[in-house]
Amino acid sequence: MISPGDVGGDPLTEEIVELTGLLRRVVGRRVRDREAVDDIVQETLARLLAARTRLDGRAIGPYAIVTARNLVKSQWQRADVGKRHEHRLADTRDPVRPDEPLLEQEEAEAIRIALDRLAPRERDVLVAHVVEGRDTGSLADDLASTPGAVAAQLGRSRAKLRVEYILALEGEPPTRQCRPVLLSLSAGDRRRQGELDAGYHLLDCDFCASMSEPLFDRRAKATADEVRIPVTVDADVVVARQRGREVAVQAGFSATEATVIATAISEISRNIVRFARRGEVTVTILTDDGASGVLVVAQDAGPGIPDIDLALQEGHTTYGGLGLGLPGSRRLMDEFEISSEVGRGTTVTMTKWHRR
Amino acid sequence: MFVSILQQGDFLIASIHAALDDSELMRFQKDVMAEIANHRAKGVIIDVAALDVLDSFGSWSLRNLVHMARLRGATTVIVGIQPEVAFSIVELGMELDVTTALDLENGLEYLESVTTGHRAGKSMLGVLGSHDT
Ligand SMILES: [Zn+2]
């Protein structure tokens, strides 16, 4: 059970809890039983809290409404199934159904179709990692890339695979907007969700409304060891480095190494505040072949960096006479990558591996 | 209260009690400069033991503070830099370029040795120590 008293001061969390009144109205219009209304509202809040770090602020309200509606719908279905089976006194949760083999065949076909829809290079890397068990380090060697970048790419490929798998099962979506919206939700890419107005699309489009939750549920399980910190003001820089330090300690880093990681996070978060005004930092625990590490991704939708080489030069003046932000974090971390597009934004990806 | 600035004779003891963000660091810098002027302080101890991170901006603003204080005739010593924070400063490629001491007591000894005509009593150290915890 979730009550407003259980959750902390996180503004996004507060916003979700404030949705309670709205949710009661949405569910109350469809369900008579007060107890059932409470259950559905609670369940909706729980799912929202689990998904909150993956949602653009404007998408929270629409996502809440869509989730509540889906829960109401599935409750009706359950009640319906229960009625149909009453006379047989059978356990309605009995997993063996006559159409089971057919379903399996359908699912295998859906996975094949979904894999076909990935770019060949993307597919090869994903298959090598998931099926052949290759770790990101050896894949990075093959691809002349870094383990951090390979891990980030694998995340994007998985997100795409989830979307294509569900579309292969459910059929092509009704609008052109659907696929990119589902992809942004599956990838937890809040910047893209904002660009696409994903929240409004969910309210408009029944198809995506029913698809969005399965996408989120899988994603939430896959990323328990991850924190996402929105960065807009000075104080967020401190929050980002403190949360990042916690993740680093959780990943097994010593106090000194965790401070080094926190320092690098501090530098790149400050860059977001100064140059982009709005962005976010994600810190994820990496595990590969017995080694552990952290992946830090700082993403913003700011003006972009016209000359990355110049920005990476030590002593290049970015503020107050010191320009150690980017080159400094590069020195502190094992891997460092920056991609930037003028007018679109900047993404810094950095990794540190735990040495034993 | 994230920071405190106390007067002890000719010296000021400015302590940071929590992680500060950039704007708080700037305000701290301004407040210390104002207190140096108010009290005509000859020496300043800045206790940064509670700082979680000293990144490029933090190091830059501390160094700036020390240089500005010097222009006002006050000698400054930074105390309490945590070992892991010190390690990160070096890794980052920063040169803090300021006088540091292990703790308040060593900081005061240093200030006494460089400023003339002033002697700090041992009792004062006790008072500061209890305030600091
Ligand atoms: Zn749609």
Side-chain angles (χ1 to χ4, degrees), chain B residues 111-125:
Chain B
L111 285 186
E112 281 165 22
S113 71
V114 293
T115 56
T116 48
H118 183 91
R119 287 186 146 265
K122 280 287 170 196
S123 60
M124 187 191 78
L125 286 173

Side-chain angles (χ1 to χ4, degrees), chain A residues 175 178 201 205 208:
Chain A
T175 76
C178 297
H201 182 83
C205 176
C208 289

Side-chain angles (χ1 to χ4, degrees), chain B residues 5-125:
Chain B
I5 305 172
L6 301 177
Q7 188 197 0
Q8 290 294 335
D10 287 343
F11 301 152
L12 289 179
I13 291 121
S15 304
I16 295 172
H17 301 292
L20 297 187
D21 68 30
D22 290 4
S23 27
E24 289 164 343
L25 267 171
M26 291 307 283
R27 203 165 65 223
F28 175 69
Q29 195 180 63
K30 224 178 99 210
D31 290 350
V32 172
M33 288 312 295
E35 290 301 296
I36 290 174
N38 284 347
H39 299 287
R40 298 171 176 275
K42 291 199 176 102
V44 183
I45 291 178
I46 298 175
D47 183 356
V48 298
L51 274 189
D52 61 329
V53 152
L54 257 177
D55 60 7
S56 62
F57 183 83
S59 306
W60 172 78
S61 60
L62 273 189
R63 189 165 62 172
N64 245 12
L65 176 52
V66 171
H67 290 183
M68 288 191 298
R70 189 181 298 151
L71 292 174
R72 296 295 309 230
T75 305
T76 306
V77 57
I78 312 276
V79 305
I81 295 182
Q82 298 300 310
E84 56 267 27
V85 170
F87 179 79
S88 299
I89 295 173
V90 174
E91 288 279 285
L92 190 60
M94 288 292 302
E95 280 168 45
L96 201 47
D97 195 24
V98 296
T99 306
T100 59
L102 201 57
D103 52 23
L104 272 177
E105 192 166 353
N106 288 346
L108 275 168
E109 274 169 20
Y110 170 78
L111 285 186
E112 281 165 22
S113 71
V114 293
T115 56
T116 48
H118 183 91
R119 287 186 146 265
K122 280 287 170 196
S123 60
M124 187 191 78
L125 286 173

